[in-house]
Amino acid sequence: MAKEILLYPLPNQEIDPLFAAQLVLLVEDQKQALQDGEFVLKSADGFKKLRDWFKKTEQFHQIYLESSRYLFTPRTDEQIAELRKDFAGSCYQFMSYSYHATKQPEGLVLLSPSRTLALYEKLFPKARKSKHRFGLDSLFGISTPDSLEIQDNGGAPKILRVIEYTLTSNKGYLQKKLLAHEQDVRKFPKLFGDTQLVFVLPLRKSGGFIPPVIRESEAPVIEMPFTHEQFRKFSSSIFERYRPEADYGYPTLNEIQEFIRQRPTVTLRADDRMDG
């Protein structure tokens, strides 16, 4: 006899059964992916080990490849600044998620950003998907969190914490995230009523700064094993010094754009080796 799978939320909790089923499937998919070795960091606890591991991942390869393709066309300083911002945001999100996904206590599962977005697509089926650079997709008009920490409960998963990986201290952005969580709690009390909104920030030095919006909300803060300045230097170094596979004959991202700006009529194509 097949084992019965209990869906969360349970009947009469005013949640579409299709959404409940999707939550079960995503949790099982997440658990299987981790068992298969997805995003396994092993002993990458310090920042050096973490960044070295990250640069060997397929995610980094894709982010870098997309950046290089974008820079093979002349761009304004404003466009490059926006690219670097998106680049840093995507790297930070993936590194933060990967670092914490394998550190969950027994019985807890951390949904990846892509699986979290898939869940919100079911929760808001009429919302259109908004495509963004580096896979930082979202839903039009819906503030989607980066991850969800879920208690497995043997096939009856329950959301415990809503996770935001953020580098910014921008008041408006943080207020938007706090408000979005409050709205989810009011709209879906049986689903989000017992959840916490948690911000994952870079490591603060002793007595370091927490954005006032977060401090005043009393939202919990989890820190990464590196400071904001360490991460900024790492992100900048990719543009200024990194060369794929340590090939010193290949230009850096900054050098690609500098060359293209000097010869704007020349059409170049990214190195085919980077597609492999």
Side-chain angles (χ1 to χ4, degrees):
M1 180 177 179
K3 180 181 177 181
E4 180 182 2
I5 297 178
L6 298 177
L7 300 183
Y8 180 85
L10 297 174
N12 80 10
Q13 289 189 300
E14 301 173 357
I15 298 294
D16 188 332
L18 291 177
F19 173 77
Q22 180 76 353
L23 179 55
V24 171
L25 292 174
L26 287 171
V27 167
E28 291 303 314
D29 183 58
Q30 182 74 52
K31 289 162 59 180
Q32 186 61 52
L34 291 173
Q35 290 178 9
D36 292 343
E38 181 179 335
F39 311 138
V40 173
L41 296 180
K42 297 184 179 179
S43 62
D45 290 324
F47 183 44
K48 184 179 186 303
K49 290 182 178 179
L50 180 57
R51 74 188 186 196
D52 289 347
W53 166 83
F54 174 61
K55 287 193 290 186
K56 297 176 183 178
T57 64
E58 180 64 22
Q59 182 76 5
F60 174 78
H61 176 88
Q62 292 301 324
I63 293 172
Y64 187 89
L65 179 59
E66 186 172 340
S67 298
S68 65
R69 285 171 171 165
Y70 182 80
L71 292 171
F72 269 89
T73 297
R75 304 295 180 182
T76 66
D77 289 345
E78 292 77 12
Q79 288 174 322
I80 293 176
E82 190 66 24
L83 172 72
R84 294 181 68 137
K85 177 182 176 182
D86 291 346
F87 180 94
S90 183
C91 291
Y92 182 74
Q93 182 192 75
F94 184 80
M95 291 172 73
S96 297
Y97 159 71
S98 300
Y99 180 78
H100 290 288
T102 56
K103 298 180 182 300
Q104 295 299 301
E106 184 70 24
L108 297 184
V109 176
L110 188 66
L111 283 192
S112 66
S114 62
R115 293 182 180 93
T116 298
L117 179 61
L119 194 66
Y120 268 69
E121 287 183 280
K122 286 291 185 181
L123 190 58
F124 298 95
K126 295 183 180 179
R128 291 186 296 119
K129 190 172 183 178
S130 176
K131 299 290 290 183
H132 293 284
R133 186 160 38 212
F134 304 136
L136 297 173
D137 299 338
S138 61
L139 300 177
F140 281 108
I142 304 296
S143 181
T144 307
D146 294 320
S147 286
L148 296 173
E149 184 185 71
I150 297 176
Q151 188 173 27
D152 186 23
N153 289 335
K158 178 179 180 180
I159 300 173
L160 298 182
R161 300 202 289 182
V162 176
I163 312 295
E164 294 288 352
Y165 309 117
T166 183
L167 291 166
T168 186
S169 59
N170 179 272
K171 180 178 180 180
Y173 174 85
L174 297 174
Q175 283 180 327
K176 177 183 175 182
K177 292 299 182 180
L178 288 162
L179 179 60
H181 180 245
E182 291 174 2
Q183 291 174 337
D184 285 348
V185 169
R186 287 196 301 267
K187 188 171 183 179
F188 306 105
K190 302 288 178 69
L191 186 63
F192 292 104
D194 295 326
T195 62
Q196 281 185 313
L197 175 61
V198 178
F199 290 94
V200 177
L201 306 177
L203 180 69
R204 293 172 295 137
K205 297 180 180 178
S206 180
F209 173 78
I210 291 182
V213 176
I214 296 178
R215 187 175 62 250
E216 292 165 7
S217 72
E218 300 184 349
V221 169
I222 296 175
E223 296 180 331
M224 290 296 291
F226 51 79
T227 65
H228 201 291
E229 180 64 13
Q230 285 177 311
F231 185 79
R232 186 194 65 78
K233 288 181 178 179
F234 163 72
S235 181
S236 295
S237 73
I238 301 301
F239 280 77
E240 297 163 5
R241 297 188 298 277
Y242 177 80
R243 304 173 193 276
E245 299 180 0
D247 180 356
Y248 293 100
Y250 196 86
T252 65
L253 292 176
N254 281 359
E255 288 170 344
I256 290 173
Q257 180 63 188
E258 181 181 356
F259 180 79
I260 293 299
R261 283 183 170 186
Q262 291 173 351
R263 302 182 62 183
T265 59
V266 174
T267 300
L268 296 179
R269 148 179 100 78
D271 193 335
D272 289 339
R273 289 172 297 172
M274 297 181 62
D275 290 319

PDB file of all heavy atoms in Angstrom, residues 55-76:
ATOM      1  N   LYS A  55      33.988  29.917  -7.577  1.00  0.00           N
ATOM      2  CA  LYS A  55      34.538  30.168  -8.915  1.00  0.00           C
ATOM      3  C   LYS A  55      34.645  28.900  -9.757  1.00  0.00           C
ATOM      4  O   LYS A  55      34.851  28.974 -10.967  1.00  0.00           O
ATOM      5  CB  LYS A  55      35.904  30.854  -8.808  1.00  0.00           C
ATOM      6  CG  LYS A  55      35.803  32.306  -8.372  1.00  0.00           C
ATOM      7  CD  LYS A  55      37.108  33.067  -8.568  1.00  0.00           C
ATOM      8  CE  LYS A  55      38.171  32.617  -7.614  1.00  0.00           C
ATOM      9  NZ  LYS A  55      39.385  33.472  -7.723  1.00  0.00           N
ATOM     10  N   LYS A  56      34.456  27.740  -9.140  1.00  0.00           N
ATOM     11  CA  LYS A  56      34.486  26.481  -9.888  1.00  0.00           C
ATOM     12  C   LYS A  56      33.091  25.968 -10.221  1.00  0.00           C
ATOM     13  O   LYS A  56      32.957  24.934 -10.885  1.00  0.00           O
ATOM     14  CB  LYS A  56      35.234  25.419  -9.073  1.00  0.00           C
ATOM     15  CG  LYS A  56      36.696  25.755  -8.818  1.00  0.00           C
ATOM     16  CD  LYS A  56      37.350  24.719  -7.921  1.00  0.00           C
ATOM     17  CE  LYS A  56      38.796  25.092  -7.617  1.00  0.00           C
ATOM     18  NZ  LYS A  56      39.415  24.108  -6.694  1.00  0.00           N
ATOM     19  N   THR A  57      32.058  26.681  -9.787  1.00  0.00           N
ATOM     20  CA  THR A  57      30.692  26.206 -10.000  1.00  0.00           C
ATOM     21  C   THR A  57      30.160  26.594 -11.375  1.00  0.00           C
ATOM     22  O   THR A  57      30.617  27.555 -12.001  1.00  0.00           O
ATOM     23  CB  THR A  57      29.738  26.780  -8.935  1.00  0.00           C
ATOM     24  OG1 THR A  57      29.670  28.209  -9.079  1.00  0.00           O
ATOM     25  CG2 THR A  57      30.196  26.415  -7.538  1.00  0.00           C
ATOM     26  N   GLU A  58      29.164  25.853 -11.828  1.00  0.00           N
ATOM     27  CA  GLU A  58      28.495  26.166 -13.083  1.00  0.00           C
ATOM     28  C   GLU A  58      27.782  27.509 -12.988  1.00  0.00           C
ATOM     29  O   GLU A  58      27.701  28.249 -13.982  1.00  0.00           O
ATOM     30  CB  GLU A  58      27.494  25.061 -13.428  1.00  0.00           C
ATOM     31  CG  GLU A  58      26.720  25.281 -14.725  1.00  0.00           C
ATOM     32  CD  GLU A  58      27.616  25.288 -15.959  1.00  0.00           C
ATOM     33  OE1 GLU A  58      28.726  24.731 -15.894  1.00  0.00           O
ATOM     34  OE2 GLU A  58      27.190  25.852 -16.986  1.00  0.00           O
ATOM     35  N   GLN A  59      27.271  27.840 -11.814  1.00  0.00           N
ATOM     36  CA  GLN A  59      26.583  29.122 -11.630  1.00  0.00           C
ATOM     37  C   GLN A  59      27.523  30.285 -11.912  1.00  0.00           C
ATOM     38  O   GLN A  59      27.168  31.237 -12.610  1.00  0.00           O
ATOM     39  CB  GLN A  59      26.031  29.222 -10.209  1.00  0.00           C
ATOM     40  CG  GLN A  59      25.258  30.504  -9.921  1.00  0.00           C
ATOM     41  CD  GLN A  59      23.872  30.495 -10.524  1.00  0.00           C
ATOM     42  OE1 GLN A  59      23.463  29.474 -11.084  1.00  0.00           O
ATOM     43  NE2 GLN A  59      23.164  31.592 -10.410  1.00  0.00           N
ATOM     44  N   PHE A  60      28.736  30.239 -11.368  1.00  0.00           N
ATOM     45  CA  PHE A  60      29.704  31.304 -11.620  1.00  0.00           C
ATOM     46  C   PHE A  60      30.060  31.353 -13.107  1.00  0.00           C
ATOM     47  O   PHE A  60      30.160  32.441 -13.697  1.00  0.00           O
ATOM     48  CB  PHE A  60      30.969  31.100 -10.792  1.00  0.00           C
ATOM     49  CG  PHE A  60      32.049  32.089 -11.130  1.00  0.00           C
ATOM     50  CD1 PHE A  60      31.996  33.384 -10.643  1.00  0.00           C
ATOM     51  CD2 PHE A  60      33.111  31.741 -11.958  1.00  0.00           C
ATOM     52  CE1 PHE A  60      32.981  34.320 -10.967  1.00  0.00           C
ATOM     53  CE2 PHE A  60      34.093  32.648 -12.294  1.00  0.00           C
ATOM     54  CZ  PHE A  60      34.038  33.943 -11.794  1.00  0.00           C
ATOM     55  N   HIS A  61      30.251  30.186 -13.694  1.00  0.00           N
ATOM     56  CA  HIS A  61      30.581  30.118 -15.120  1.00  0.00           C
ATOM     57  C   HIS A  61      29.524  30.836 -15.957  1.00  0.00           C
ATOM     58  O   HIS A  61      29.846  31.627 -16.856  1.00  0.00           O
ATOM     59  CB  HIS A  61      30.695  28.658 -15.557  1.00  0.00           C
ATOM     60  CG  HIS A  61      30.930  28.471 -17.019  1.00  0.00           C
ATOM     61  ND1 HIS A  61      32.174  28.456 -17.589  1.00  0.00           N
ATOM     62  CD2 HIS A  61      30.047  28.316 -18.040  1.00  0.00           C
ATOM     63  CE1 HIS A  61      32.059  28.291 -18.903  1.00  0.00           C
ATOM     64  NE2 HIS A  61      30.782  28.189 -19.197  1.00  0.00           N
ATOM     65  N   GLN A  62      28.259  30.603 -15.664  1.00  0.00           N
ATOM     66  CA  GLN A  62      27.181  31.217 -16.422  1.00  0.00           C
ATOM     67  C   GLN A  62      27.106  32.722 -16.181  1.00  0.00           C
ATOM     68  O   GLN A  62      26.861  33.503 -17.111  1.00  0.00           O
ATOM     69  CB  GLN A  62      25.847  30.552 -16.060  1.00  0.00           C
ATOM     70  CG  GLN A  62      25.722  29.116 -16.525  1.00  0.00           C
ATOM     71  CD  GLN A  62      25.874  28.966 -18.044  1.00  0.00           C
ATOM     72  OE1 GLN A  62      25.431  29.825 -18.815  1.00  0.00           O
ATOM     73  NE2 GLN A  62      26.494  27.879 -18.463  1.00  0.00           N
ATOM     74  N   ILE A  63      27.301  33.155 -14.935  1.00  0.00           N
ATOM     75  CA  ILE A  63      27.287  34.591 -14.622  1.00  0.00           C
ATOM     76  C   ILE A  63      28.420  35.293 -15.358  1.00  0.00           C
ATOM     77  O   ILE A  63      28.235  36.367 -15.947  1.00  0.00           O
ATOM     78  CB  ILE A  63      27.403  34.806 -13.102  1.00  0.00           C
ATOM     79  CG1 ILE A  63      26.164  34.291 -12.377  1.00  0.00           C
ATOM     80  CG2 ILE A  63      27.610  36.294 -12.773  1.00  0.00           C
ATOM     81  CD1 ILE A  63      26.303  34.288 -10.866  1.00  0.00           C
ATOM     82  N   TYR A  64      29.594  34.692 -15.321  1.00  0.00           N
ATOM     83  CA  TYR A  64      30.752  35.289 -15.987  1.00  0.00           C
ATOM     84  C   TYR A  64      30.563  35.331 -17.502  1.00  0.00           C
ATOM     85  O   TYR A  64      30.850  36.336 -18.157  1.00  0.00           O
ATOM     86  CB  TYR A  64      32.023  34.515 -15.638  1.00  0.00           C
ATOM     87  CG  TYR A  64      33.268  35.182 -16.168  1.00  0.00           C
ATOM     88  CD1 TYR A  64      33.940  36.137 -15.417  1.00  0.00           C
ATOM     89  CD2 TYR A  64      33.757  34.864 -17.432  1.00  0.00           C
ATOM     90  CE1 TYR A  64      35.065  36.769 -15.911  1.00  0.00           C
ATOM     91  CE2 TYR A  64      34.891  35.483 -17.938  1.00  0.00           C
ATOM     92  CZ  TYR A  64      35.537  36.441 -17.178  1.00  0.00           C
ATOM     93  OH  TYR A  64      36.653  37.075 -17.678  1.00  0.00           O
ATOM     94  N   LEU A  65      30.059  34.234 -18.067  1.00  0.00           N
ATOM     95  CA  LEU A  65      29.850  34.168 -19.513  1.00  0.00           C
ATOM     96  C   LEU A  65      28.851  35.223 -19.963  1.00  0.00           C
ATOM     97  O   LEU A  65      29.061  35.917 -20.970  1.00  0.00           O
ATOM     98  CB  LEU A  65      29.361  32.774 -19.901  1.00  0.00           C
ATOM     99  CG  LEU A  65      29.080  32.539 -21.390  1.00  0.00           C
ATOM    100  CD1 LEU A  65      30.324  32.785 -22.228  1.00  0.00           C
ATOM    101  CD2 LEU A  65      28.553  31.126 -21.604  1.00  0.00           C
ATOM    102  N   GLU A  66      27.752  35.378 -19.222  1.00  0.00           N
ATOM    103  CA  GLU A  66      26.763  36.382 -19.587  1.00  0.00           C
ATOM    104  C   GLU A  66      27.338  37.794 -19.483  1.00  0.00           C
ATOM    105  O   GLU A  66      27.050  38.652 -20.322  1.00  0.00           O
ATOM    106  CB  GLU A  66      25.531  36.254 -18.692  1.00  0.00           C
ATOM    107  CG  GLU A  66      24.389  37.173 -19.095  1.00  0.00           C
ATOM    108  CD  GLU A  66      23.109  36.895 -18.327  1.00  0.00           C
ATOM    109  OE1 GLU A  66      22.972  35.790 -17.770  1.00  0.00           O
ATOM    110  OE2 GLU A  66      22.252  37.791 -18.289  1.00  0.00           O
ATOM    111  N   SER A  67      28.177  38.032 -18.490  1.00  0.00           N
ATOM    112  CA  SER A  67      28.809  39.340 -18.337  1.00  0.00           C
ATOM    113  C   SER A  67      29.728  39.632 -19.508  1.00  0.00           C
ATOM    114  O   SER A  67      29.729  40.750 -20.060  1.00  0.00           O
ATOM    115  CB  SER A  67      29.612  39.398 -17.034  1.00  0.00           C
ATOM    116  OG  SER A  67      28.776  39.220 -15.919  1.00  0.00           O
ATOM    117  N   SER A  68      30.527  38.659 -19.910  1.00  0.00           N
ATOM    118  CA  SER A  68      31.466  38.873 -21.014  1.00  0.00           C
ATOM    119  C   SER A  68      30.723  39.128 -22.321  1.00  0.00           C
ATOM    120  O   SER A  68      31.114  39.999 -23.116  1.00  0.00           O
ATOM    121  CB  SER A  68      32.410  37.676 -21.157  1.00  0.00           C
ATOM    122  OG  SER A  68      31.713  36.510 -21.535  1.00  0.00           O
ATOM    123  N   ARG A  69      29.637  38.397 -22.547  1.00  0.00           N
ATOM    124  CA  ARG A  69      28.850  38.620 -23.768  1.00  0.00           C
ATOM    125  C   ARG A  69      28.252  40.023 -23.781  1.00  0.00           C
ATOM    126  O   ARG A  69      28.216  40.698 -24.813  1.00  0.00           O
ATOM    127  CB  ARG A  69      27.749  37.568 -23.866  1.00  0.00           C
ATOM    128  CG  ARG A  69      28.260  36.193 -24.280  1.00  0.00           C
ATOM    129  CD  ARG A  69      27.182  35.137 -24.165  1.00  0.00           C
ATOM    130  NE  ARG A  69      27.606  33.866 -24.758  1.00  0.00           N
ATOM    131  CZ  ARG A  69      26.998  32.706 -24.562  1.00  0.00           C
ATOM    132  NH1 ARG A  69      25.929  32.655 -23.783  1.00  0.00           N
ATOM    133  NH2 ARG A  69      27.450  31.604 -25.132  1.00  0.00           N
ATOM    134  N   TYR A  70      27.777  40.462 -22.629  1.00  0.00           N
ATOM    135  CA  TYR A  70      27.197  41.804 -22.527  1.00  0.00           C
ATOM    136  C   TYR A  70      28.258  42.873 -22.834  1.00  0.00           C
ATOM    137  O   TYR A  70      27.965  43.883 -23.490  1.00  0.00           O
ATOM    138  CB  TYR A  70      26.643  42.007 -21.125  1.00  0.00           C
ATOM    139  CG  TYR A  70      25.969  43.340 -20.899  1.00  0.00           C
ATOM    140  CD1 TYR A  70      24.664  43.557 -21.330  1.00  0.00           C
ATOM    141  CD2 TYR A  70      26.631  44.370 -20.243  1.00  0.00           C
ATOM    142  CE1 TYR A  70      24.039  44.778 -21.124  1.00  0.00           C
ATOM    143  CE2 TYR A  70      26.017  45.591 -20.027  1.00  0.00           C
ATOM    144  CZ  TYR A  70      24.714  45.790 -20.460  1.00  0.00           C
ATOM    145  OH  TYR A  70      24.096  47.005 -20.249  1.00  0.00           O
ATOM    146  N   LEU A  71      29.484  42.645 -22.417  1.00  0.00           N
ATOM    147  CA  LEU A  71      30.543  43.647 -22.581  1.00  0.00           C
ATOM    148  C   LEU A  71      31.180  43.609 -23.955  1.00  0.00           C
ATOM    149  O   LEU A  71      32.037  44.450 -24.260  1.00  0.00           O
ATOM    150  CB  LEU A  71      31.606  43.440 -21.491  1.00  0.00           C
ATOM    151  CG  LEU A  71      31.112  43.762 -20.074  1.00  0.00           C
ATOM    152  CD1 LEU A  71      32.148  43.334 -19.038  1.00  0.00           C
ATOM    153  CD2 LEU A  71      30.796  45.240 -19.924  1.00  0.00           C
ATOM    154  N   PHE A  72      30.781  42.682 -24.817  1.00  0.00           N
ATOM    155  CA  PHE A  72      31.279  42.672 -26.189  1.00  0.00           C
ATOM    156  C   PHE A  72      30.505  43.657 -27.064  1.00  0.00           C
ATOM    157  O   PHE A  72      30.572  43.601 -28.294  1.00  0.00           O
ATOM    158  CB  PHE A  72      31.220  41.258 -26.782  1.00  0.00           C
ATOM    159  CG  PHE A  72      32.484  40.484 -26.571  1.00  0.00           C
ATOM    160  CD1 PHE A  72      32.657  39.724 -25.421  1.00  0.00           C
ATOM    161  CD2 PHE A  72      33.512  40.522 -27.491  1.00  0.00           C
ATOM    162  CE1 PHE A  72      33.813  39.007 -25.207  1.00  0.00           C
ATOM    163  CE2 PHE A  72      34.678  39.815 -27.289  1.00  0.00           C
ATOM    164  CZ  PHE A  72      34.844  39.053 -26.139  1.00  0.00           C
ATOM    165  N   THR A  73      29.751  44.544 -26.442  1.00  0.00           N
ATOM    166  CA  THR A  73      29.081  45.671 -27.089  1.00  0.00           C
ATOM    167  C   THR A  73      29.424  46.922 -26.282  1.00  0.00           C
ATOM    168  O   THR A  73      29.490  46.857 -25.055  1.00  0.00           O
ATOM    169  CB  THR A  73      27.549  45.472 -27.093  1.00  0.00           C
ATOM    170  OG1 THR A  73      27.245  44.310 -27.861  1.00  0.00           O
ATOM    171  CG2 THR A  73      26.831  46.685 -27.680  1.00  0.00           C
ATOM    172  N   PRO A  74      29.666  48.064 -26.929  1.00  0.00           N
ATOM    173  CA  PRO A  74      29.980  49.278 -26.164  1.00  0.00           C
ATOM    174  C   PRO A  74      28.862  49.619 -25.182  1.00  0.00           C
ATOM    175  O   PRO A  74      27.691  49.641 -25.549  1.00  0.00           O
ATOM    176  CB  PRO A  74      30.115  50.357 -27.252  1.00  0.00           C
ATOM    177  CG  PRO A  74      30.456  49.605 -28.494  1.00  0.00           C
ATOM    178  CD  PRO A  74      29.727  48.296 -28.391  1.00  0.00           C
ATOM    179  N   ARG A  75      29.226  49.873 -23.930  1.00  0.00           N
ATOM    180  CA  ARG A  75      28.256  50.201 -22.883  1.00  0.00           C
ATOM    181  C   ARG A  75      28.628  51.516 -22.216  1.00  0.00           C
ATOM    182  O   ARG A  75      29.808  51.877 -22.145  1.00  0.00           O
ATOM    183  CB  ARG A  75      28.223  49.092 -21.821  1.00  0.00           C
ATOM    184  CG  ARG A  75      27.932  47.707 -22.365  1.00  0.00           C
ATOM    185  CD  ARG A  75      26.540  47.594 -22.962  1.00  0.00           C
ATOM    186  NE  ARG A  75      26.293  46.248 -23.482  1.00  0.00           N
ATOM    187  CZ  ARG A  75      25.173  45.873 -24.100  1.00  0.00           C
ATOM    188  NH1 ARG A  75      24.191  46.754 -24.282  1.00  0.00           N
ATOM    189  NH2 ARG A  75      25.024  44.647 -24.542  1.00  0.00           N
ATOM    190  N   THR A  76      27.619  52.207 -21.708  1.00  0.00           N
ATOM    191  CA  THR A  76      27.860  53.441 -20.971  1.00  0.00           C
ATOM    192  C   THR A  76      28.362  53.104 -19.566  1.00  0.00           C
ATOM    193  O   THR A  76      28.223  51.965 -19.102  1.00  0.00           O
ATOM    194  CB  THR A  76      26.574  54.272 -20.850  1.00  0.00           C
ATOM    195  OG1 THR A  76      25.627  53.553 -20.039  1.00  0.00           O
ATOM    196  CG2 THR A  76      25.965  54.542 -22.221  1.00  0.00           C
TER     197      THR A  76
END
